[in-house]
Amino acid sequence: NACGFVPERVCIRFPGGSKTPNAKNVSDDIKARLEREGYEWFDWNAADNDKYPKGNTKNLPDADYFWESYQETIGWYVNKPNAQVIFLTHDSENGTVEILPRMIEDLLERGYTFKTLDEHPDWND
């Protein structure tokens, strides 16, 4: 409804990722079914932890905690210039919305470019 049409190809994201303990025993079956039904799926590999409040052990304001989490996870890729980073955030979190312009600016300064998932090499295999 939001975009006004049903896309030709639909992408699925496993809640929490396909490698979490909750998904471990069923992810292969789910992936096979998604493939049979013509769906693509992607995992994310970086995030601002905006859905992981118990990680905020310093009791920071949300935006500060999300920024710190962002800095940590994007730091995993400093020495991996060819890594494909799929960054997960949620538009339902005010702290994420608050820091998003800062995140985008930081990523651009680091030399990242932005693409949609249908431009990802795995989407086209």
Side-chain angles (χ1 to χ4, degrees):
N1 288 339
C3 60
F5 64 94
V6 176
E8 286 182 36
R9 297 171 77 188
V10 177
C11 180
I12 305 294
R13 176 180 67 82
F14 285 72
S18 69
K19 296 176 178 78
T20 62
N22 291 337
K24 186 178 180 181
N25 295 328
V26 296
S27 65
D28 288 342
D29 292 337
I30 293 171
K31 290 174 190 176
R33 179 154 185 199
L34 290 171
E35 187 173 318
R36 279 193 313 272
E37 299 290 331
Y39 292 97
E40 297 286 338
W41 65 273
F42 280 89
D43 272 330
W44 46 275
N45 56 7
D48 69 354
N49 285 332
D50 60 7
K51 292 293 184 184
Y52 184 62
K54 67 181 176 184
N56 188 0
T57 58
K58 297 177 189 174
N59 297 313
L60 299 170
D62 286 350
D64 294 341
Y65 168 59
F66 300 159
W67 179 254
E68 188 176 271
S69 296
Y70 156 77
Q71 289 287 316
E72 181 181 341
T73 59
I74 204 63
W76 299 339
Y77 301 98
V78 168
N79 295 318
K80 299 177 182 177
N82 296 320
Q84 299 280 331
V85 179
I86 298 178
F87 203 93
L88 175 66
T89 62
H90 298 87
D91 62 358
S92 58
E93 295 297 328
N94 290 335
T96 291
V97 173
E98 182 180 328
I99 67 165
L100 186 59
R102 191 168 156 202
M103 289 169 51
I104 292 170
E105 185 177 306
D106 183 67
L107 289 165
L108 290 170
E109 287 175 8
R110 292 172 184 262
Y112 284 92
T113 57
F114 294 84
K115 297 182 178 182
T116 57
L117 284 176
D118 64 334
E119 297 175 285
H120 193 282
D122 291 345
W123 184 277
N124 300 302
D125 58 5

